[in-house]
Amino acid sequence: MHIAPHDNQNRPIVDVDHPLVPLNYFNIVRLKRGESFTYAVPGYETCIVPATGTVRVEVGGQRHEGLGQRTRDVWDGEPEGVYVPVGREARFTCRSDAAEVFIAGAKYDRVLEPFAVRADEIDRVQYGSDETKTHRKIKHILGTRYHDRVGRLLVSELFTVGAGGWSGFPSHKHDTDRLPDETRHDETYNFRFRPAHGSGLQMLQREDNAPGDAYHVMDGSTVLIDRGYHPCCVLPGYEMYYFTILGGLSQRSLKQYFQPTHADQLKTIPGIMDMVAKFK
């Protein structure tokens, strides 16, 4: 499902128990200097990530100052985040001229402890190549190092490297719990492009080697991945970013199932198995 860019007026874009991706929650909050936003999401653990701007976050008796160092866009520095436990009230206040803040969430049934993730604590992985048109960089905000502190939520930022190319290829899916081959993880994307008038294509193929759907994604587009194989690409001459939320049904570790028709491509893309390992 594609949700076109729009002013959501600080209301959830993907609310609790969404019919397509019930394991996900997503909101974008835009504030001006001195403005605050307070929220709590019963049944979901969340992560506050400034896309741009700087905020102060208060949750569970903790205060985290100076979260977020990016000013121009999501390419302007490293991400940071604060983990918010299930149902816990969190408040963040804009400390820069303006801030755009992502709230990512996953359904969970235990209350853990809040913590901050600073720029020097994220996990980074880069793989692919210009020759295979699959060059990609991933910045894991809530990655594998936090398995003992987070329930079901994985939060990352993905970038195409260079201008144009494919991401999420070879095509894979994760819509069914059938370990050890695959896990059920609902997924939500929010796209950005540089320059901002760029755009791309999100494929969604329900069955291997059968016709599927395709969505024209633009700066600010949100895509919900409920099931199926889902590679995406960006037009030549543009860079693409997408904020990624994964919520697991029975476990946090993601087990991707690669599309049989294209599985032999795994041998042609440098470093792809390092990428797979970072989601486990």
Side-chain angles (χ1 to χ4, degrees):
M1 177 182 177
H2 174 229
I3 301 173
H6 66 286
D7 181 4
N8 64 308
Q9 300 181 337
N10 294 350
R11 293 194 291 265
I13 295 173
V14 179
D15 211 342
V16 300
D17 293 321
H18 190 281
L20 286 182
V21 287
L23 303 179
N24 289 171
Y25 175 90
F26 178 51
N27 195 3
I28 299 177
V29 177
R30 297 173 178 89
L31 302 174
K32 295 181 181 179
R33 184 182 292 274
E35 293 180 336
S36 297
F37 184 83
T38 302
Y39 78 94
V41 189
Y44 288 73
E45 57 186 349
T46 60
C47 184
I48 298 168
V49 179
T52 55
T54 302
V55 298
R56 179 184 67 219
V57 178
E58 298 167 274
V59 56
Q62 299 179 8
R63 174 178 287 191
H64 302 284
E65 296 281 359
L67 189 85
Q69 305 301 320
R70 300 185 289 204
T71 56
R72 295 188 303 273
D73 56 31
V74 293
W75 284 268
D76 183 27
E78 303 295 346
E80 296 187 317
V82 170
Y83 173 79
V84 178
V86 172
R88 188 71 59 83
E89 182 176 279
R91 176 183 176 89
F92 52 89
T93 303
C94 180
R95 309 295 284 175
S96 51
D97 288 341
E100 181 183 20
V101 181
F102 297 140
I103 303 175
K107 185 174 285 191
Y108 193 48
D109 58 2
R110 291 178 53 203
V111 179
L112 304 176
E113 293 298 320
F115 62 92
V117 180
R118 296 295 182 170
D120 61 352
E121 298 172 313
I122 63 174
D123 289 328
R124 302 170 182 82
V125 62
Q126 188 164 326
Y127 76 95
S129 66
D130 295 337
E131 292 75 18
T132 59
K133 299 178 175 59
T134 58
H135 209 170
R136 186 164 78 149
K137 180 187 298 181
I138 305 175
K139 299 178 180 181
H140 294 284
I141 302 161
L142 290 183
T144 55
R145 70 166 65 185
Y146 298 113
H147 271 338
D148 61 341
R149 303 180 71 180
V150 181
R152 297 284 187 268
L153 179 62
L154 291 159
V155 180
S156 305
E157 296 187 334
L158 291 84
F159 301 77
T160 58
V161 177
W166 284 87
S167 187
F169 187 82
S171 308
H172 63 273
K173 73 182 186 76
H174 38 74
D175 56 31
T176 307
D177 258 345
R178 51 187 191 97
L179 290 169
D181 296 321
E182 183 181 0
T183 57
R184 158 82 183 274
H185 277 73
D186 292 352
E187 190 164 25
T188 297
Y189 298 152
N190 186 263
F191 286 89
R192 302 297 162 97
F193 294 89
R194 186 165 70 169
H197 58 269
S199 63
L201 179 73
Q202 174 70 65
M203 292 175 58
L204 189 55
Q205 192 172 18
R206 301 299 186 178
E207 299 179 23
D208 183 30
N209 213 23
D213 302 313
Y215 305 109
H216 180 202
V217 293
M218 306 178 71
D219 195 76
S221 286
T222 299
V223 171
L224 313 184
I225 307 293
D226 59 332
R227 61 186 178 89
Y229 306 100
H230 47 277
C232 55
C233 64
V234 56
L235 294 174
Y238 298 92
E239 294 177 77
M240 182 172 71
Y241 157 103
Y242 50 111
F243 184 71
T244 303
I245 305 165
L246 282 160
L249 177 64
S250 60
Q251 67 177 44
R252 185 164 186 259
S253 295
L254 172 70
K255 177 62 176 178
Q256 303 160 323
Y257 178 74
F258 287 94
Q259 188 171 3
T261 297
H262 306 301
D264 59 338
Q265 297 280 357
L266 285 167
K267 302 174 183 177
T268 71
I269 299 175
I272 192 167
M273 298 316 294
D274 292 335
M275 178 276 294
V276 172
K278 280 290 186 180
F279 279 103
K280 291 182 178 178

